[in-house]
Amino acid sequence: MAETSASTTRLTKFYGEMSPSLDTVMSALSAAGVDTDHLQASDLYRRDLDCHNLGMHRMLEVLKDVAAEYGEPAPEDMLLDLGCGLGGPGRFLVDQFGCSVVGVDLLPLRIDLAQVLTDLTSMGEQISYRVADATDLGLEDESFVQVWMLDVSMHIRDKQTLFGEIARVLKPGGLLVMHEQTGPLPKAMLPVRRRAPYIAPSFPQLIRYVEGAGLRVLTWRDTTHIVLEYFLRMRALLGDPPEPTSDVPARRQRDVGLTVLGGYIETLANLGGRTGILVAKRVP
């Protein structure tokens, strides 16, 4: 069953408040002295301007190295970036491996910006996008060598259908490369859960969902320390509260950010919360 319209509405509001605009991205690039007329994918992802996965660009490098232990994509391969957001991870994969990517996201506002940034980096021939539900992709069977899904599954209630769809679109022997936080989620996460759906299974439950879909788990690598360092750094960057005359949308975005950061930091630092990389192979 596709995600409910209520969940979609909550996610749209949540990521609408958290996501930068195109003007914000371009201003940050200009301030850094980047030649925006000859924009490279690395200009974006190395500055964490288009990556909303936990740990951002640093985590992408870790994910790449872990996944490479089980098989690197070749230039002729097609990968799926499931829950692609602004497209940063997908552009990273194309930049690193020369492969092709299909980016899928539930939210049109994120797909629109992902497409603009991909056009600006001249990657349009290798990356395409579509708005779709992760539990009902509408993509052909056995069409991807790898599926990357970064910090997305916890927003999706129907895990069984989600992992079934991933197994369906993977080629036999293809890899699922995912990053996620496991549950149960403590009360410290309640302010975050009120803003967006967060349904995180325990680690044993996650394994059962993945392997129940016909995927064999190859590894789990704990990344909690990387994610916690990232959240602490982000909180420090937000700094002191803005002056009362500051831009209202900017203050609202900052307040939302602090709420999210506080819940995650307390959970990961003091309450036993864990994050990690899971790699699984579709059983032939």
Side-chain angles (χ1 to χ4, degrees), residues 78-239:
M78 181 72 73
L79 277 61
L80 176 62
D81 181 9
L82 187 54
C84 65
L86 306 188
R91 286 186 290 273
F92 171 85
L93 291 169
V94 173
D95 199 35
Q96 296 293 312
F97 299 111
C99 57
S100 297
V101 169
V102 174
V104 172
D105 202 278
L106 183 64
L107 308 181
L109 64 91
R110 302 213 292 178
I111 288 291
D112 290 345
L113 185 49
Q115 184 66 66
V116 170
L117 294 174
T118 290
D119 291 342
L120 288 172
T121 54
S122 301
M123 285 186 164
E125 292 187 1
Q126 290 171 277
I127 305 177
S128 62
Y129 295 101
R130 62 187 297 157
V131 176
D133 192 296
T135 62
D136 186 17
L137 292 168
L139 296 167
E140 293 184 7
D141 294 355
E142 301 182 2
S143 49
F144 298 98
V145 170
Q146 294 185 6
V147 174
W148 283 53
M149 180 173 62
L150 311 183
D151 311 302
V152 171
S153 69
M154 73 153 48
H155 292 313
I156 299 170
R157 185 172 300 279
D158 190 351
K159 312 290 190 204
Q160 183 176 355
T161 302
L162 167 66
F163 289 108
E165 271 291 88
I166 290 171
R168 182 184 67 78
V169 301
L170 268 174
K171 294 179 181 292
L175 296 180
L176 165 64
V177 180
M178 66 177 287
H179 187 269
E180 196 54 274
Q181 179 181 0
T182 57
L185 299 179
K187 290 183 179 180
M189 292 289 289
L190 278 176
V192 184
R193 293 170 64 187
R194 291 190 185 104
R195 293 185 171 275
Y198 276 73
I199 310 102
S202 67
F203 180 67
Q205 289 173 322
L206 176 62
I207 299 300
R208 285 196 291 270
Y209 283 127
V210 172
E211 296 202 330
L215 302 164
R216 179 164 59 88
V217 173
L218 302 177
T219 191
W220 167 268
R221 309 288 176 87
D222 191 280
T223 62
T224 307
H225 66 291
I226 299 175
V227 175
L228 181 57
E229 288 174 7
Y230 154 69
F231 279 129
L232 290 170
R233 185 171 66 252
M234 293 299 296
R235 186 170 65 180
L237 286 173
L238 283 176

Side-chain angles (χ1 to χ4, degrees), residues 15-137:
Y15 281 108
E17 291 173 331
M18 297 293 291
S19 299
S21 65
L22 178 60
D23 287 343
T24 300
V25 171
M26 299 308 287
S27 295
L29 291 168
S30 297
V34 175
D35 181 0
T36 55
D37 291 330
H38 301 89
L39 192 63
Q40 303 295 311
S42 58
D43 294 327
L44 293 164
Y45 65 69
R46 286 179 180 165
R47 292 174 173 83
D48 290 334
L49 293 173
D50 59 350
C51 301
H52 282 164
N53 58 289
L54 300 181
M56 294 192 168
H57 170 241
R58 181 185 176 192
M59 188 64 74
L60 294 181
E61 294 285 357
V62 176
L63 282 154
K64 180 193 71 171
D65 291 343
V66 172
E69 296 177 22
Y70 303 94
E72 291 188 359
E76 64 271 18
D77 287 337
M78 181 72 73
L79 277 61
L80 176 62
D81 181 9
L82 187 54
C84 65
L86 306 188
R91 286 186 290 273
F92 171 85
L93 291 169
V94 173
D95 199 35
Q96 296 293 312
F97 299 111
C99 57
S100 297
V101 169
V102 174
V104 172
D105 202 278
L106 183 64
L107 308 181
L109 64 91
R110 302 213 292 178
I111 288 291
D112 290 345
L113 185 49
Q115 184 66 66
V116 170
L117 294 174
T118 290
D119 291 342
L120 288 172
T121 54
S122 301
M123 285 186 164
E125 292 187 1
Q126 290 171 277
I127 305 177
S128 62
Y129 295 101
R130 62 187 297 157
V131 176
D133 192 296
T135 62
D136 186 17
L137 292 168

